[in-house]
Amino acid sequence: MNSIVLAQAAQQSAGAEGFNMLITFGLIIIIFYFIVIRPQRKQQKELKERQDSLKPGDKVITNGGIYGIVREVKDDTVKLEIAANTVIKVVKTCIVQGVGKDGATEGK
């Protein structure tokens, strides 16, 4: 009789441990979401909005580190003036941040 009671207690204990482990794993996933995934999505959304709102005259920096002034905006490309009479054409997604009037970078 004692062995049956001990076996039942062991089974209940194992079930509780499994449930606790499942809850702990779920909490880790939730914390990971709020610390890593959510801020990254927000940053990507802000970058996309910044790229879509480009207009001629904006000062920007490309992901290659080239400073330029937007001269023309098309659907997915931008023409940047990087020096006097020097204009290059880049893909809009290469623009990673804007430059304010005081020379400080905006965004990021």
Side-chain angles (χ1 to χ4, degrees):
M1 184 78 151
N2 283 339
S3 61
I4 294 173
V5 171
L6 290 174
Q8 288 176 345
Q11 286 177 344
Q12 289 175 351
S13 176
E17 287 177 15
F19 183 70
N20 287 340
M21 189 170 68
L22 185 64
I23 288 177
T24 303
F25 188 66
L27 287 173
I28 290 171
I29 290 175
I30 291 170
I31 291 169
F32 183 78
Y33 173 79
F34 281 104
I35 291 176
V36 178
I37 297 172
R38 190 168 179 222
Q40 185 178 10
R41 284 187 179 172
K42 183 179 176 185
Q43 211 173 32
Q44 288 173 342
K45 182 180 176 184
E46 290 171 356
L47 178 61
K48 177 77 170 129
E49 288 172 358
R50 215 175 310 129
Q51 290 168 346
D52 290 340
S53 68
L54 289 173
K55 59 189 179 305
D58 288 349
K59 294 181 180 180
V60 296
I61 302 173
T62 68
N63 60 0
I66 299 173
Y67 284 73
I69 300 172
V70 176
R71 292 298 173 211
E72 184 180 331
V73 180
K74 293 200 175 181
D75 291 333
D76 60 343
T77 60
V78 175
K79 288 190 178 179
L80 293 180
E81 181 177 346
I82 57 173
N85 299 323
T86 306
V87 177
I88 60 173
K89 186 177 183 179
V90 296
V91 179
K92 196 184 274 190
T93 56
C94 288
I95 307 296
V96 291
Q97 52 186 304
V99 179
K101 294 181 180 181
D102 59 353
T105 57
E106 299 170 349
K108 247 187 172 181

